[in-house]
Amino acid sequence: MDDSRLLVAVFASPVADVLVRWGAELGFRTVLVDPDPSRRPQARADVTAAGFDELDDELAGGHADVVVTDHHRDELGDLLRDALARPARWVGVMGNPRHEGPHVAALTALGVPPEDIARVHRPIGLDIGSRAPAEIAVSTLAGLLADRNGRSGGFAHGR
């Protein structure tokens, strides 16, 4: 098991709760990032933080998989910009693949270069028709496990 892999769930949500719980069972170190302290206790992560500036030591190795679990939050652009400015190995945003993700406009408005915006994966996870939070987390974790194990796992690599 590769315990150097770090799973960063961004924004406390029902999906983030499952990601950090099951991610730890699957050998990931887990972190929850949410700027709202009233939301942070929902997920059971090894570490909780308001933003990426608090995680520089955790992220230094470039082994972090960053999963944004709520694309409707006002802080989306700021947190993604901060994640992209660090050596995150992989960054993905959950959301409907039939529509351009709101992260594109949010990052563009913040002056993030197009090549950095293109690093954000969307859709994420395996295409298994997930609807419920636990199913979405399973889909995401299965894709990350496949990647960790050097397999394609059917990851949709769209942006």
Coordinates of all heavy atoms in Angstrom, one line a residue, residues 83-125:
A83 N -5.2 25.2 -5.1 CA -4.8 23.9 -5.4 C -3.9 23.8 -6.6 O -2.9 23.1 -6.5 CB -6.0 23.0 -5.5
L84 N -4.2 24.5 -7.6 CA -3.4 24.4 -8.9 C -2.1 25.1 -8.7 O -1.1 24.8 -9.4 CB -4.2 25.1 -10.0 CG -5.4 24.3 -10.5 CD1 -6.3 25.2 -11.4 CD2 -5.0 23.0 -11.2
A85 N -2.0 26.0 -7.7 CA -0.7 26.7 -7.5 C 0.3 25.8 -6.7 O 1.4 26.2 -6.5 CB -1.0 28.0 -6.7
R86 N -0.2 24.6 -6.2 CA 0.6 23.7 -5.4 C 0.9 22.5 -6.2 O 0.3 22.2 -7.2 CB -0.1 23.5 -4.1 CG 0.0 24.7 -3.2 CD -0.9 24.6 -2.0 NE -0.7 25.7 -1.1 CZ -1.1 26.9 -1.3 NH1 -1.8 27.2 -2.3 NH2 -0.9 27.9 -0.4
P87 N 1.8 21.7 -5.7 CA 2.2 20.5 -6.5 C 1.2 19.3 -6.4 O 1.6 18.2 -6.1 CB 3.6 20.1 -5.9 CG 3.5 20.5 -4.5 CD 2.7 21.8 -4.5
A88 N -0.1 19.6 -6.5 CA -1.1 18.5 -6.5 C -0.8 17.6 -7.7 O -0.6 18.1 -8.8 CB -2.5 19.1 -6.6
R89 N -0.9 16.3 -7.5 CA -0.7 15.4 -8.6 C -1.9 15.3 -9.5 O -1.7 15.2 -10.8 CB -0.5 14.0 -8.0 CG 0.0 12.9 -8.9 CD -0.2 11.6 -8.3 NE -1.6 11.2 -8.3 CZ -2.3 10.8 -9.3 NH1 -1.8 10.8 -10.5 NH2 -3.6 10.5 -9.2
W90 N -3.1 15.5 -9.0 CA -4.3 15.4 -9.8 C -5.4 16.2 -9.1 O -5.5 16.3 -7.9 CB -4.7 13.9 -9.7 CG -5.9 13.5 -10.6 CD1 -5.8 13.1 -11.9 CD2 -7.3 13.5 -10.2 NE1 -7.1 12.8 -12.3 CE2 -8.0 13.1 -11.3 CE3 -8.0 13.8 -9.1 CZ2 -9.4 12.9 -11.3 CZ3 -9.3 13.7 -9.0 CH2 -10.0 13.3 -10.2
V91 N -6.2 16.9 -10.0 CA -7.2 17.8 -9.5 C -8.5 17.5 -10.3 O -8.4 17.5 -11.5 CB -6.9 19.3 -9.6 CG1 -8.0 20.2 -9.1 CG2 -5.6 19.6 -8.8
G92 N -9.6 17.3 -9.6 CA -10.8 17.0 -10.3 C -12.0 17.7 -9.6 O -12.0 17.9 -8.4
V93 N -13.0 18.0 -10.4 CA -14.3 18.6 -9.9 C -15.5 17.7 -10.3 O -15.6 17.4 -11.4 CB -14.4 20.0 -10.5 CG1 -15.8 20.6 -10.1 CG2 -13.3 20.9 -10.1
M94 N -16.3 17.4 -9.3 CA -17.5 16.7 -9.6 C -18.5 17.6 -10.2 O -18.5 18.8 -10.0 CB -18.1 16.1 -8.2 CG -17.2 15.1 -7.6 SD -18.0 14.5 -6.1 CE -16.7 13.2 -5.7
G95 N -19.3 16.9 -11.1 CA -20.4 17.7 -11.7 C -20.9 17.0 -13.0 O -20.3 16.0 -13.4
N96 N -21.9 17.6 -13.5 CA -22.6 17.0 -14.7 C -21.7 17.2 -15.9 O -21.4 18.3 -16.3 CB -23.9 17.7 -14.9 CG -24.7 17.1 -16.0 OD1 -24.2 16.5 -17.0 ND2 -26.0 17.3 -16.0
P97 N -21.3 16.1 -16.6 CA -20.4 16.2 -17.7 C -21.0 16.8 -19.0 O -20.3 17.2 -19.9 CB -20.0 14.8 -18.0 CG -21.1 13.9 -17.5 CD -21.6 14.7 -16.3
R98 N -22.4 17.0 -19.0 CA -23.0 17.6 -20.1 C -23.0 19.1 -20.2 O -23.4 19.7 -21.1 CB -24.5 17.1 -20.2 CG -24.6 15.6 -20.4 CD -26.0 15.2 -20.6 NE -26.8 15.4 -19.4 CZ -27.0 14.6 -18.4 NH1 -26.4 13.4 -18.4 NH2 -27.8 14.8 -17.4
H99 N -22.5 19.7 -19.1 CA -22.4 21.2 -19.0 C -20.9 21.6 -18.7 O -20.3 20.8 -17.9 CB -23.3 21.7 -17.9 CG -24.7 21.3 -18.1 ND1 -25.6 21.7 -19.1 CD2 -25.4 20.4 -17.4 CE1 -26.7 21.1 -18.9 NE2 -26.7 20.3 -17.9
E100 N -20.5 22.7 -19.2 CA -19.2 23.2 -18.8 C -19.2 23.5 -17.3 O -20.2 24.1 -16.8 CB -18.8 24.5 -19.5 CG -17.5 25.0 -19.1 CD -17.1 26.2 -19.9 OE1 -17.5 27.3 -19.5 OE2 -16.2 26.1 -20.8
G101 N -18.2 23.0 -16.6 CA -18.2 23.3 -15.2 C -18.0 24.7 -14.8 O -17.3 25.5 -15.5
P102 N -18.6 25.1 -13.7 CA -18.5 26.5 -13.3 C -17.1 26.9 -12.9 O -16.8 28.1 -12.8 CB -19.5 26.6 -12.1 CG -19.7 25.2 -11.6 CD -19.5 24.3 -12.8
H103 N -16.3 25.9 -12.7 CA -14.9 26.2 -12.3 C -14.1 26.9 -13.5 O -13.3 27.7 -13.2 CB -14.1 24.9 -12.0 CG -13.9 24.0 -13.1 ND1 -14.9 23.2 -13.7 CD2 -12.8 23.8 -13.9 CE1 -14.4 22.5 -14.7 NE2 -13.1 22.8 -14.8
V104 N -14.5 26.7 -14.7 CA -13.9 27.4 -15.8 C -14.0 28.9 -15.7 O -13.1 29.6 -15.8 CB -14.4 26.8 -17.2 CG1 -13.8 27.6 -18.3 CG2 -14.1 25.3 -17.3
A105 N -15.3 29.3 -15.6 CA -15.5 30.8 -15.5 C -14.9 31.4 -14.2 O -14.4 32.4 -14.2 CB -17.0 31.0 -15.5
A106 N -15.0 30.6 -13.1 CA -14.5 31.1 -11.8 C -13.0 31.3 -11.9 O -12.4 32.3 -11.5 CB -14.9 30.2 -10.7
L107 N -12.3 30.3 -12.5 CA -10.8 30.4 -12.6 C -10.4 31.5 -13.6 O -9.4 32.2 -13.4 CB -10.2 29.0 -13.0 CG -10.3 28.0 -11.8 CD1 -9.9 26.6 -12.4 CD2 -9.4 28.4 -10.7
T108 N -11.1 31.6 -14.7 CA -10.8 32.6 -15.7 C -11.0 34.0 -15.1 O -10.1 34.8 -15.3 CB -11.8 32.4 -17.0 OG1 -11.6 31.1 -17.5 CG2 -11.5 33.5 -18.0
A109 N -12.0 34.2 -14.3 CA -12.2 35.5 -13.7 C -11.1 35.8 -12.7 O -10.8 37.0 -12.5 CB -13.6 35.5 -13.0
L110 N -10.5 34.8 -12.2 CA -9.4 35.0 -11.2 C -8.0 35.2 -11.9 O -7.0 35.3 -11.3 CB -9.3 33.9 -10.2 CG -10.4 33.8 -9.2 CD1 -10.4 32.5 -8.4 CD2 -10.4 35.0 -8.3
G111 N -8.0 35.1 -13.3 CA -6.8 35.3 -14.0 C -5.9 34.0 -14.1 O -4.8 34.1 -14.5
V112 N -6.5 32.9 -13.8 CA -5.8 31.6 -13.9 C -5.5 31.3 -15.4 O -6.5 31.3 -16.2 CB -6.5 30.5 -13.2 CG1 -5.8 29.1 -13.4 CG2 -6.7 30.8 -11.7
P113 N -4.3 31.0 -15.8 CA -4.0 30.7 -17.2 C -4.8 29.5 -17.7 O -5.0 28.5 -17.0 CB -2.5 30.4 -17.3 CG -2.0 31.0 -16.0 CD -3.1 30.9 -15.0
P114 N -5.2 29.5 -19.0 CA -5.9 28.4 -19.6 C -5.3 27.0 -19.4 O -5.9 26.0 -19.2 CB -6.1 28.8 -21.1 CG -5.9 30.2 -21.1 CD -5.0 30.6 -20.0
E115 N -3.9 27.0 -19.5 CA -3.2 25.7 -19.4 C -3.4 25.2 -18.0 O -3.4 23.9 -17.8 CB -1.7 25.8 -19.8 CG -0.9 26.8 -19.0 CD -0.9 28.2 -19.6 OE1 -1.8 28.6 -20.4 OE2 -0.1 29.0 -19.1
D116 N -3.5 26.0 -17.0 CA -3.7 25.5 -15.6 C -5.2 25.1 -15.4 O -5.4 24.1 -14.8 CB -3.4 26.6 -14.6 CG -1.9 26.8 -14.4 OD1 -1.1 25.9 -14.8 OD2 -1.5 27.9 -13.9
I117 N -6.1 25.8 -16.0 CA -7.5 25.4 -16.0 C -7.7 24.0 -16.6 O -8.5 23.2 -16.2 CB -8.4 26.5 -16.7 CG1 -8.3 27.8 -15.9 CG2 -9.9 26.0 -16.8 CD1 -9.0 29.0 -16.6
A118 N -7.0 23.8 -17.7 CA -7.0 22.5 -18.4 C -6.5 21.3 -17.5 O -6.9 20.2 -17.9 CB -6.2 22.6 -19.7
R119 N -5.8 21.6 -16.5 CA -5.4 20.5 -15.6 C -6.5 20.0 -14.7 O -6.4 18.9 -14.1 CB -4.3 21.0 -14.7 CG -3.0 21.3 -15.4 CD -1.9 21.9 -14.4 NE -1.8 21.1 -13.1 CZ -1.6 21.7 -12.0 NH1 -1.3 23.0 -11.9 NH2 -1.5 21.0 -10.9
V120 N -7.6 20.7 -14.7 CA -8.7 20.2 -13.8 C -9.6 19.2 -14.6 O -10.1 19.5 -15.7 CB -9.6 21.4 -13.4 CG1 -10.8 21.0 -12.6 CG2 -8.8 22.5 -12.7
H121 N -9.7 18.0 -14.0 CA -10.4 16.9 -14.6 C -11.9 17.0 -14.3 O -12.3 17.3 -13.2 CB -9.9 15.6 -14.1 CG -8.5 15.3 -14.5 ND1 -8.2 14.6 -15.7 CD2 -7.4 15.6 -14.0 CE1 -6.9 14.5 -15.8 NE2 -6.4 15.1 -14.8
R122 N -12.7 16.8 -15.3 CA -14.1 16.8 -15.2 C -14.7 16.2 -16.4 O -14.4 16.6 -17.5 CB -14.7 18.2 -15.0 CG -16.1 18.2 -14.6 CD -16.5 19.6 -14.1 NE -17.9 19.7 -13.9 CZ -18.9 19.8 -14.8 NH1 -18.6 19.9 -16.0 NH2 -20.1 19.9 -14.4
P123 N -15.5 15.2 -16.4 CA -16.0 14.5 -15.2 C -14.9 13.7 -14.5 O -13.8 13.5 -15.1 CB -17.1 13.6 -15.7 CG -16.7 13.3 -17.1 CD -16.0 14.5 -17.6
I124 N -15.2 13.2 -13.3 CA -14.2 12.4 -12.6 C -14.9 11.1 -12.2 O -16.1 11.0 -12.2 CB -13.7 13.1 -11.3 CG1 -14.8 13.4 -10.3 CG2 -13.0 14.4 -11.7 CD1 -14.2 13.9 -9.0
G125 N -14.1 10.1 -11.9 CA -14.6 8.8 -11.5 C -15.0 7.9 -12.6 O -14.9 8.3 -13.8

